[in-house]
Amino acid sequence: MFKIDYQKQEYIGIENYKTLFSDPVFVRSMINTVIFVVFIVSLTVIFGIFVASSVFDKNSKYVSFIRGAYYIPVMVSMVVMSMVWNFLLNPANGLISYYARQSGFPTVNFLGNKNLVIPVIIFITFTINVGQAIILYIAAMIGIPKDLFESAEVDGVSRLHTITKILIPLVRPTTIYIVIMNIIAVLKIFVVIQLLTGGGPNNASTTLMYYLYNNAFKYNRLGVASAVGVIMFIITLLLSIPQLKAMFKE
Amino acid sequence: MFKKRFLASVLALVMALSVLSGCGNKDTVDGDKKDSGSKENVEITVWLTPHWKGVLDANEEGADFDSFFKEAAKRFEEQYKEHNVKVNVEVIAGDQRDELLNVSLNGGNPPDIFYESIFAMGDYVHRGALVPLDDIIDDEAKSDIGSNFWDNVTFGDKVYFYPFSHMPGTFAYNADMFKAAGLENLIGGETEIKTWTLQEFDEILNKLKTDLPKDKYPNAYPMGLFALNNQGDTWNLAYLRMFGNKFFNENSELVINDENGVKALNWMKNIYDNGLSNPGAESVSSSDVNAMFQNQQIAISFINSVLYNNTIADMEEGKMEKFDVRLANIPSESGDPLTFTYVAGAAVFDTKDETRIKVSKDFVKFFSSDKELVKASKNGIPVRTSVANEFKDEKPLFAAYDENAKYMFNFTGNVPGYGELRQVLYPEIQALFTNEKTAEKAIADYQTKGNEVLNKAKEDSVIFK
């Protein structure tokens, strides 16, 4: 509602919001953020359930190994992970393009192609996020009483039915927690964008958080940046309400 | 019961906060206005981004980026008569500059002095955050420092930065790769900044592409191009002037959308499409290109004088493989080289405290004009003719840079909103490289979006009021 300068602030009504919605980069960043949230959260939940349900009842050493393997990217800083991916994907001196050239294959610029950049960032963020979900799901699944599985086994229920009818409904609170936490985390997606694509090519991978950061700290348009913050809050709220409702209903 | 507990918790929290707030420091200036003898105590803060290590030379023991300012502060504190001064020196990362400055300005606590390249600080002049320095610039400084440097630091009719040294931007080329490709006749001297015509430049790139031995230089490219972000965008700006475009008009508006601007973008696009540059320029940064140049994967790259010195030093210290690095100008259609420089100097922030502003100005004048301290400018290229002459035998490239100075253009045009304008260019170049836009469309969009940014910034600029 204000045009903020470091010396003064002036009331300008909804001018900041008008500026935002007339800026195609903002609209693009909003669409991108929603795409990231939907795909990364879905992938994280589906893959988390898949891995956890496959291993939770196996040998404890094997479970620990799987947990450790998937948790390493979570422990490593997002900055380091982004740098590793940059080292792999850089079109000029990255490892993947180097081997592609050596083997005579055509090289693909994963970060410079506007159709590929979004799936690539979804994949990278997913690989960094999924470890947390797997840990939580395994913990939740181990906590389910064994007699439920034994009685299902006695009744001749298939593995798939055990997972869909017993496991998934019983880990619902964990799913809700993971979904809400991941929505909040992915809405704030910033480091990967800043370090890998800089929002490019031609703003194709800009997100709300990156847009907010640029406005707040680079262009010093604090009013506009605050408006983006309010919009992010509303989006988080809207996306979280159904989940919270489901949780309280329980 | 619950209400009571809640109220008790809130009360406890408020009390804890009150106690903690009492632990905070009092405002530095007021708290420091105690008498010590008859003089007032004044504490000022200097921020700088990394420029050179050591007081005068990087070989000194314990040389670091703040050594010069700490030594200057020590000497200033000893000789300053009006107040008891304490100067705090802090080095901040260059890529965090705007973030830190914006946060400190909005918090009402900016540094007193900032030493940085002027191009990055112009927006703060337009926002009214800096104070003019005309009152500390004397005739001796005006005559010793060339007029092109004063143009760089003058906004409206006032000087806002005290020029100290400068850092010209050129091309660097790997003369060994040139020789391997049979380009001996186009190699310049070791202490020369070679000027090629545009035709010669095209010939060089094509020959490097076809004749560079693949066994000796595998995965090597003739030239480095980059457009991931605004890093090193001054070279892209220089290419846009290649066919004679003026770039800004007298109203501080972009005038790039003409035949020459389109030609320039098409030139870049042809280089890229014909495999005369590294691939994937749209997602490659200038740091990547520099690393590739140092790994001998790129024959012609961007460089500035400090980067050049660091590259040579790294080779001598065995940190990278030695090869023959030489300098060249960015060519243009007219035949005159395109040359620019990053003038670095100190600015004083308007802290609203007259005493601190006065002391800060005196300190800036002290280290920017002291006969001994100004010698440190040899770590870049000195703006003072007297210093350049003193070191010309030790640093033969000073003369070559000096020869170039007459072709220099002021790439920022000192326009308001230059920082945000930088964010507009690289997405358009990315769109060009990825075939999303033609050169005509990209240049038109750059001008339209750029002028929107400039006009908005002009409305808020104290210089244009």
Side-chain angles (χ1 to χ4, degrees), chain A residues 6 90 109 202 213 217 220, chain B residues 99 102 127 129 282-283 430:
Chain A
Y6 77 98
N90 191 303
N109 187 357
N202 193 19
Y213 172 84
F217 300 115
N220 198 41
Chain B
E99 287 87 334
N102 281 326
R127 281 163 52 188
E282 62 276 12
S283 44
Q430 290 172 349

Side-chain angles (χ1 to χ4, degrees), chain A residues 93-168:
Chain A
N93 55 0
L95 199 66
I96 293 174
S97 52
Y98 172 76
Y99 280 119
R101 272 196 296 273
Q102 292 295 92
S103 324
F105 291 116
T107 54
V108 180
N109 187 357
F110 291 101
L111 301 174
N113 182 320
K114 72 181 169 97
N115 299 319
L116 281 178
V117 69
I118 298 275
V120 168
I121 290 174
I122 288 173
F123 178 73
I124 292 172
T125 317
F126 156 71
T127 56
I128 300 171
N129 272 2
V130 75
Q132 184 82 48
I134 290 172
I135 294 278
L136 291 170
Y137 273 128
I138 290 178
M141 286 175 188
I142 288 174
I144 296 172
K146 291 274 181 297
D147 45 0
L148 283 172
F149 300 112
E150 282 160 9
S151 48
E153 208 177 320
V154 170
D155 292 343
V157 178
S158 69
R159 175 90 180 167
L160 184 69
H161 269 90
T162 313
I163 292 170
T164 52
K165 304 290 181 197
I166 300 175
L167 265 182
I168 294 179

